[in-house]
PDB file of all heavy atoms in Angstrom:
ATOM      1  N   ALA A 171       4.657  16.048  14.408  1.00 52.00           N
ATOM      2  CA  ALA A 171       4.702  16.438  13.065  1.00 52.00           C
ATOM      3  C   ALA A 171       4.777  17.964  13.018  1.00 52.00           C
ATOM      4  O   ALA A 171       5.459  18.641  12.283  1.00 52.00           O
ATOM      5  CB  ALA A 171       3.558  15.887  12.189  1.00 52.00           C
ATOM      6  N   LEU A 172       3.967  18.639  13.805  1.00 50.00           N
ATOM      7  CA  LEU A 172       3.927  20.051  13.975  1.00 50.00           C
ATOM      8  C   LEU A 172       5.217  20.619  14.513  1.00 50.00           C
ATOM      9  O   LEU A 172       5.752  21.647  13.910  1.00 50.00           O
ATOM     10  CB  LEU A 172       2.681  20.487  14.820  1.00 50.00           C
ATOM     11  CG  LEU A 172       2.532  21.964  15.031  1.00 50.00           C
ATOM     12  CD1 LEU A 172       2.203  22.617  13.665  1.00 50.00           C
ATOM     13  CD2 LEU A 172       1.479  22.279  16.107  1.00 50.00           C
ATOM     14  N   MET A 173       5.732  20.071  15.422  1.00 53.00           N
ATOM     15  CA  MET A 173       6.967  20.444  16.066  1.00 53.00           C
ATOM     16  C   MET A 173       8.086  20.386  15.016  1.00 53.00           C
ATOM     17  O   MET A 173       8.931  21.220  14.890  1.00 53.00           O
ATOM     18  CB  MET A 173       7.341  19.688  17.324  1.00 53.00           C
ATOM     19  CG  MET A 173       6.365  20.132  18.401  1.00 53.00           C
ATOM     20  SD  MET A 173       6.667  19.086  19.927  1.00 53.00           S
ATOM     21  CE  MET A 173       8.349  19.175  20.240  1.00 53.00           C
ATOM     22  N   LEU A 174       8.164  19.292  14.265  1.00 48.00           N
ATOM     23  CA  LEU A 174       9.207  19.054  13.300  1.00 48.00           C
ATOM     24  C   LEU A 174       9.049  20.034  12.075  1.00 48.00           C
ATOM     25  O   LEU A 174      10.108  20.633  11.664  1.00 48.00           O
ATOM     26  CB  LEU A 174       9.197  17.563  12.714  1.00 48.00           C
ATOM     27  CG  LEU A 174       9.682  16.536  13.695  1.00 48.00           C
ATOM     28  CD1 LEU A 174       9.536  15.129  13.045  1.00 48.00           C
ATOM     29  CD2 LEU A 174      11.268  16.825  14.046  1.00 48.00           C
ATOM     30  N   SER A 175       7.862  20.323  11.720  1.00 48.00           N
ATOM     31  CA  SER A 175       7.742  21.327  10.682  1.00 48.00           C
ATOM     32  C   SER A 175       8.145  22.779  11.150  1.00 48.00           C
ATOM     33  O   SER A 175       8.700  23.444  10.326  1.00 48.00           O
ATOM     34  CB  SER A 175       6.254  21.365  10.137  1.00 48.00           C
ATOM     35  OG  SER A 175       5.392  21.758  11.162  1.00 48.00           O
ATOM     36  N   CYS A 176       7.906  23.102  12.388  1.00 50.00           N
ATOM     37  CA  CYS A 176       8.321  24.366  12.925  1.00 50.00           C
ATOM     38  C   CYS A 176       9.789  24.411  12.994  1.00 50.00           C
ATOM     39  O   CYS A 176      10.417  25.549  12.753  1.00 50.00           O
ATOM     40  CB  CYS A 176       7.669  24.583  14.236  1.00 50.00           C
ATOM     41  SG  CYS A 176       5.941  24.963  14.244  1.00 50.00           S
ATOM     42  N   LEU A 177      10.465  23.375  13.275  1.00 49.00           N
ATOM     43  CA  LEU A 177      11.929  23.360  13.337  1.00 49.00           C
ATOM     44  C   LEU A 177      12.487  23.486  11.974  1.00 49.00           C
ATOM     45  O   LEU A 177      13.548  24.136  11.718  1.00 49.00           O
ATOM     46  CB  LEU A 177      12.458  22.111  14.092  1.00 49.00           C
ATOM     47  CG  LEU A 177      12.148  22.009  15.575  1.00 49.00           C
ATOM     48  CD1 LEU A 177      12.621  20.765  16.076  1.00 49.00           C
ATOM     49  CD2 LEU A 177      12.934  23.054  16.320  1.00 49.00           C
ATOM     50  N   HIS A 178      11.954  22.934  11.038  1.00 48.00           N
ATOM     51  CA  HIS A 178      12.545  22.804   9.673  1.00 48.00           C
ATOM     52  C   HIS A 178      12.330  24.169   8.896  1.00 48.00           C
ATOM     53  O   HIS A 178      13.297  24.642   8.246  1.00 48.00           O
ATOM     54  CB  HIS A 178      11.900  21.750   8.850  1.00 48.00           C
ATOM     55  CG  HIS A 178      12.413  21.576   7.438  1.00 48.00           C
ATOM     56  ND1 HIS A 178      11.898  22.210   6.372  1.00 48.00           N
ATOM     57  CD2 HIS A 178      13.539  20.975   7.005  1.00 48.00           C
ATOM     58  CE1 HIS A 178      12.556  21.974   5.316  1.00 48.00           C
ATOM     59  NE2 HIS A 178      13.623  21.161   5.637  1.00 48.00           N
ATOM     60  N   ALA A 179      11.204  24.742   9.018  1.00 53.00           N
ATOM     61  CA  ALA A 179      10.921  26.062   8.173  1.00 53.00           C
ATOM     62  C   ALA A 179      11.091  27.255   9.028  1.00 53.00           C
ATOM     63  O   ALA A 179      10.200  27.623   9.730  1.00 53.00           O
ATOM     64  CB  ALA A 179       9.525  25.873   7.611  1.00 53.00           C
TER      65      ALA A 179
END
Side-chain angles (χ1 to χ4, degrees):
L172 179 64
M173 289 173 53
L174 286 174
S175 67
C176 289
L177 290 174
H178 181 266

